[in-house]
């Protein structure tokens, strides 16, 4: 049956940034599909809450709390996952982010930090996990990029450039790791998370964002998780090197992503 291709029974997934928002939704979705999950983020209490949801689905969960802004820490997740569960089949690189800042206030150090937090951490875990995958049955990597990696808007110079780099990193890593490890990404648009709440200042701005979106709503973490599940399972077995836009249609329009003056 075609729906069997969306299953991950007997598989192990590693999800970074799994304590809340998109990362938590990804972890639960993968567990619903049958995967055991290694959950990593900074706040242990948040991770434990998500781990309980995974266990309630009858799957195993292993929590790794720590500062994942260090690429060495993300790379170590592959070792922890292999030691705990004996294999890695899926990696979801969800760690990343960054606050808006106009160019006049973007120091070189600020830009380098955005690349380290978004690109370097992704590469560190992808490389380490791929070594484990290639010793086993292969696997799938899905990275969370952003619509801001393609659509220009004031205030997103560091963050948007780093996310754009992730899109091409996805294509290059897919070429290097094919055919046994598939590498894809999702590019969310406006998704209801704590990060979005920091940008949308009031109801009027929220209404403007909704009007600018062809589907006329702000997305949910589960909207992103559904796309990640497709790419992580055999449902997406003939896709690699792709960036799937989960944005309500934002990238099909000339969208105004500009922030108000700081």
């Amino acid at each position: 049956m075609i729906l069997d291709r969306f299953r991950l029974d007997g598989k192990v997934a590693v999800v970074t940034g799994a304590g809340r928002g998109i990362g938590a939704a990804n972890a639960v979705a993968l567990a619903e599909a049958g995967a055991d999950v290694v959950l990593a983020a900074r706040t242990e209490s948040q991770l434990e809450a998500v781990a309980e949801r995974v266990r309630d689905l009858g799957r195993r969960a292993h929590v790794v709390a720590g500062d994942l802004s260090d690429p060495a820490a993300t790379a170590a997740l592959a070792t922890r996952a292999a030691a705990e569960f004996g294999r890695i089949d899926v990696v979801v690189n969800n760690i990343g982010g960054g606050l808006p800042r106009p160019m006049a206030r973007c120091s070189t150090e600020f830009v380098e930090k955005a690349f380290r937090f978004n690109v370097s951490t992704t590469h560190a875990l992808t490389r380490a996990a791929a070594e484990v995958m290639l010793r086993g049955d292969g696997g799938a990597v899905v990275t969370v990029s952003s619509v801001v990696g393609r659509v220009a808007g004031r205030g997103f110079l560091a963050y948007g450039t780093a996310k754009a780099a992730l899109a091409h990193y996805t294509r290059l890593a897919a070429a290097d790791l094919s055919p046994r490890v598939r590498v894809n990404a999702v590019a969310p648009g406006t998704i209801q998370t704590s990060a979005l709440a920091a940008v949308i200042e009031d109801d009027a701005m929220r209404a403007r964002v909704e009007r600018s979106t062809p589907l006329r709503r702000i997305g949910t973490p589960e909207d992103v998780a559904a796309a990640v599940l497709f790419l992580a399972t055999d449902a997406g077995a003939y896709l690699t090197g792709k960036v799937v836009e989960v944005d309500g249609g934002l990238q099909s329009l000339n969208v105004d992503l500009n922030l108000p003056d700081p």
Side-chain angles (χ1 to χ4, degrees):
M1 294 179 61
I2 193 68
L3 291 179
D4 291 339
R5 298 181 69 171
F6 288 87
R7 298 297 306 171
L8 288 169
D9 301 291
K11 307 293 187 180
V12 173
V14 178
V15 182
T16 61
R20 59 183 179 177
I22 292 172
N26 283 330
V28 173
L30 295 170
E32 287 180 354
D36 298 321
V37 187
V38 175
L39 307 103
R42 187 188 302 271
T43 306
E44 186 170 6
S45 59
Q46 292 178 341
L47 289 171
E48 288 293 353
V50 179
E52 281 305 305
R53 296 172 65 188
V54 170
R55 294 177 184 124
D56 287 344
L57 293 165
R59 307 312 310 166
R60 295 178 295 172
H62 180 65
V63 167
V64 180
D67 182 4
L68 298 182
S69 63
D70 179 4
T74 52
L77 288 175
T79 303
R80 297 281 295 271
E84 185 70 20
F85 294 129
R87 60 188 296 154
I88 299 174
D89 303 280
V90 175
V91 167
V92 180
N93 289 304
N94 181 63
I95 190 71
L99 295 175
R101 184 176 293 185
M103 176 182 280
R105 293 172 50 215
C106 275
S107 65
T108 301
E109 291 75 17
F110 186 79
V111 175
E112 289 174 347
K113 182 178 179 180
F115 268 78
R116 183 177 180 85
F117 192 33
N118 291 275
V119 181
S120 298
T121 55
T122 291
H123 172 64
L125 179 54
T126 299
R127 181 174 180 269
E131 291 180 359
V132 179
M133 292 175 175
L134 291 170
R135 292 198 299 264
D137 299 327
V141 176
V142 186
T143 297
V144 179
S145 182
S146 171
V147 63
V148 183
R150 180 172 174 184
V151 178
R154 287 170 45 242
F156 294 110
L157 187 146
Y159 172 74
T161 303
K163 290 299 188 182
L166 278 180
H168 199 48
Y169 175 87
T170 295
R171 292 184 281 268
L172 295 169
D176 278 354
L177 294 174
S178 63
R180 298 192 58 226
V181 177
R182 295 184 299 106
V183 184
N184 293 290
V186 293
T190 48
I191 307 297
Q192 191 59 58
T193 64
S194 58
L196 182 69
V199 175
I200 293 186
E201 299 176 339
D202 51 36
D203 290 343
M205 184 179 289
R206 183 184 184 90
R208 190 186 79 183
V209 172
E210 291 173 341
R211 287 195 305 271
S212 297
T213 305
L215 292 185
R216 296 296 189 271
R217 68 175 177 88
I218 290 175
T220 68
E222 289 72 24
D223 290 325
V224 181
V228 169
L229 182 64
F230 167 68
L231 294 171
T233 63
D234 284 345
Y238 204 50
L239 281 79
T240 196
K242 303 300 181 185
V243 179
V244 177
E245 299 161 1
V246 188
D247 61 1
L250 278 177
Q251 295 190 47
S252 64
L253 298 177
N254 183 20
V255 181
D256 179 13
L257 289 180
N258 289 332
L259 295 174
D261 290 331

